[in-house]
Amino acid sequence: VHEFNMMDVSDGFNTSHEIHEITFGDHLPGLISPLDGTRKIVKHGAFMFHYYVKLVPTMFTSRDGWDIYSNQYSATDSARNVQVRSGELSGLPGVFFVYDFSPFLMRKTELVKPWSYIFTSSCAIIGGVFSIAKLVELAITGFIGRLFSCHPGIVSKV
């Protein structure tokens, strides 16, 4: 049974908090936790903080063949001052987490790109540079030809 005495929070109730780290399962490489480092400071009043967390089960397979089962999550938050005036509250001050579990499993597999990928990417970049250079050359020669009323490559007869 939870007992809440309004007289204890008549001057406000400090619900300031900091989330250092929050995880749901083993650590996954490259996983960023959106709530890590979150800090909420209450200067005055009595605040109600809600964190809505959506958990997605995840199976990560490394390139070495190791499987790690964990959870990823996304989070949204809301905050409101529930102290209407001294001694009167419109809600319960505190920090609340609301969880929603996804029924789907996400599979992530770490793959290594072959050397041929690097070779073909390099060829594509070099080909793109030559194509753009040719377009720039055509634009400049066309502009110069119109500016001086001559055609490049044609020698004028005297």
Side-chain angles (χ1 to χ4, degrees), residues 40 47-50 77-81:
K40 305 287 183 173
F47 272 78
M48 178 190 318
F49 294 97
H50 275 118
D77 64 294
S78 67
R80 73 181 179 103
N81 191 354

Side-chain angles (χ1 to χ4, degrees), residues 2-155:
H2 178 73
E3 183 179 324
F4 184 75
N5 187 355
M6 284 255 301
M7 299 311 288
D8 292 340
V9 296
S10 60
D11 296 335
F13 187 74
N14 191 351
T15 53
S16 297
H17 61 280
E18 181 175 2
I19 301 172
H20 296 282
E21 179 182 8
I22 185 167
T23 58
F24 300 93
D26 295 331
H27 176 72
L28 295 176
L31 180 70
I32 298 171
S33 297
L35 289 178
D36 287 358
T38 300
R39 174 186 276 180
K40 305 287 183 173
I41 305 296
V42 176
K43 302 244 190 243
H44 55 81
F47 272 78
M48 178 190 318
F49 294 97
H50 275 118
Y51 292 96
Y52 301 97
V53 179
K54 175 82 170 180
L55 289 165
V56 179
T58 304
M59 177 68 73
F60 177 78
T61 304
S62 70
R63 60 181 128 178
D64 299 330
W66 293 95
D67 288 335
I68 302 171
Y69 179 79
S70 189
N71 292 286
Q72 296 183 73
Y73 70 94
S74 62
T76 57
D77 64 294
S78 67
R80 73 181 179 103
N81 191 354
V82 294
Q83 185 175 12
V84 180
R85 53 184 160 257
S86 185
E88 187 177 333
L89 297 175
S90 64
L92 184 64
V95 178
F96 304 97
F97 290 87
V98 180
Y99 298 97
D100 183 20
F101 296 93
S102 173
F104 301 103
L105 174 72
M106 176 186 275
R107 291 186 184 269
K108 295 177 87 174
T109 305
E110 185 179 33
L111 299 175
V112 179
K113 293 182 181 174
W115 286 101
S116 60
Y117 176 81
I118 295 171
F119 176 70
T120 55
S121 296
S122 301
C123 290
I125 291 170
I126 292 169
V129 168
F130 277 109
S131 298
I132 297 298
K134 185 63 177 176
L135 287 174
V136 169
E137 178 196 9
L138 289 173
I140 290 174
T141 56
F143 175 72
I144 290 174
R146 289 187 183 189
L147 186 65
F148 296 111
S149 298
C150 66
H151 298 285
I154 297 177
V155 178

